[in-house]
Amino acid sequence: MAGRATGKNGSSIGSSGAQDATALFQTVNKQRLVERVVTDVQELIIQGKLAVGAKLPPERELAELLGVSRTVIREAVRILVTKGLLESRHGIGTTVRQVTRDQLVEPLGWLLQRNGADLDDLHEVRAILEVAIAGEAARRAGPADIDQLETILAQMQAQRDDPVAFAAGDAEFHQALAAILQNPMLAVLLDAVRAIMAEIRRKVSRYAAFDAVVLDDHAAIVAAVRGHDPAAARTAMQEHLLHAREFQRTLETEADPAGTKLSG
């Protein structure tokens, strides 16, 4: 019968079905081309071969260079703009954007909030990361690293009456401790924690004993780092995180059940 074909198993395939299958595979092929272009351009940006501010060739020229259609280029550019790697401006064209940590950190924070992470989850992550960081910092810290920790601690002492500045100094202290390890992945992870902790730190800083406890805890951590005592540094950080969690629980008792979830 015209318009029909027989498959290997004897089943027949109508002409309309063949057309649908062709369209389906064309869509898959196009998507793979888009992904390839996105990956290739992304790698050029990450490797620094496409510098910040560099202008991409016009759409037609780029399509010819990469051997794909202009539609594929258009979709790939749209994805890269959404990722924050490219920027398209009328009259200027498409250029490479400066990639900042916020582009990595903020989506992680939103994802955690959306998935219902709570303060116990946050405490567990901090205990896993920051206790180990404190121990390694004590082992690796040089004189300049210790001076920086002591400077931050002195600034926090002077900012006790300013909850916002004090909370910022608290975050800076933990970042400086992590920076001693010179591990960029840890820096990004701690940035994500800092972004989530910002509002929590601000809220708990209003408690009368909070600043004194934090300063004492930080002083104990600095003393252990100065003495190059990893075991003491880990213990001091564990105590600090337990104290922080106690203040957070006080905050939870004053809030409704939704207040136990991560926010802002």
Side-chain angles (χ1 to χ4, degrees):
M1 184 181 295
R4 301 185 70 84
T6 302
K8 289 183 178 180
N9 61 359
S11 62
S12 48
I13 304 172
S15 59
S16 61
Q19 291 169 357
D20 290 343
T22 299
L24 176 63
F25 284 110
Q26 285 174 339
T27 302
V28 171
N29 185 52
K30 176 189 171 185
Q31 187 57 38
R32 286 178 177 170
L33 288 173
V34 170
E35 290 171 358
R36 177 172 66 79
V37 172
V38 168
T39 300
D40 289 348
V41 175
Q42 190 169 274
E43 282 297 310
L44 290 173
I45 294 171
I46 292 171
Q47 293 170 7
K49 294 178 180 178
L50 275 176
V52 173
K55 187 176 178 181
L56 264 61
E59 190 178 275
R60 183 189 297 276
E61 183 181 340
L62 192 56
E64 291 175 356
L65 286 170
L66 297 177
V68 297
S69 70
R70 293 178 67 179
T71 304
V72 167
I73 293 297
R74 198 172 300 124
E75 179 63 14
V77 168
R78 185 191 66 78
I79 292 171
L80 289 164
V81 168
T82 302
K83 285 186 172 189
L85 296 173
L86 297 179
E87 180 178 24
S88 290
R89 287 183 289 176
H90 182 69
I92 296 177
T94 302
T95 57
V96 178
R97 283 188 63 188
Q98 175 71 53
V99 179
T100 66
R101 282 185 179 173
D102 286 345
Q103 290 171 241
L104 301 173
V105 169
E106 289 181 9
L108 178 58
W110 298 334
L111 180 63
L112 291 173
Q113 293 169 39
R114 184 174 181 180
N115 287 336
D118 60 21
L119 290 173
D120 282 328
D121 298 322
L122 179 61
H123 174 75
E124 184 174 33
V125 169
R126 294 188 73 195
I128 292 169
L129 286 176
E130 298 201 53
V131 170
I133 286 171
E136 280 301 300
R139 192 171 67 83
R140 304 186 196 183
D145 299 318
I146 296 167
D147 286 346
Q148 184 179 14
L149 291 175
E150 290 178 337
T151 297
I152 295 170
L153 192 57
Q155 290 172 344
M156 291 179 67
Q157 179 70 42
Q159 296 166 336
R160 296 179 68 158
D161 296 328
D162 185 341
V164 174
F166 189 85
D170 188 4
E172 185 182 2
F173 179 88
H174 288 269
Q175 288 296 120
L177 201 63
I180 294 171
L181 276 63
Q182 298 184 358
N183 185 322
M185 290 188 68
L186 274 177
V188 171
L189 289 172
L190 264 291
D191 271 347
V193 171
R194 181 175 65 176
I196 295 168
M197 283 291 299
E199 181 64 11
I200 298 169
R201 281 191 170 106
R202 188 189 65 78
K203 288 179 178 178
V204 299
S205 65
R206 72 172 188 262
Y207 295 120
F210 177 77
D211 57 345
V213 171
V214 169
L215 288 169
D216 286 347
D217 288 350
H218 283 192
I221 294 168
V222 172
V225 172
R226 189 190 307 112
H228 298 289
D229 188 337
R234 287 192 293 269
T235 298
M237 180 60 79
Q238 285 173 335
E239 288 295 315
H240 175 53
L241 295 179
L242 286 173
H243 292 156
R245 188 67 189 100
E246 287 170 7
F247 279 110
Q248 292 161 13
R249 286 198 176 95
T250 302
L251 185 65
E252 287 173 343
T253 62
E254 299 175 358
D256 58 29
T260 63
K261 301 298 181 184
L262 300 180
S263 61

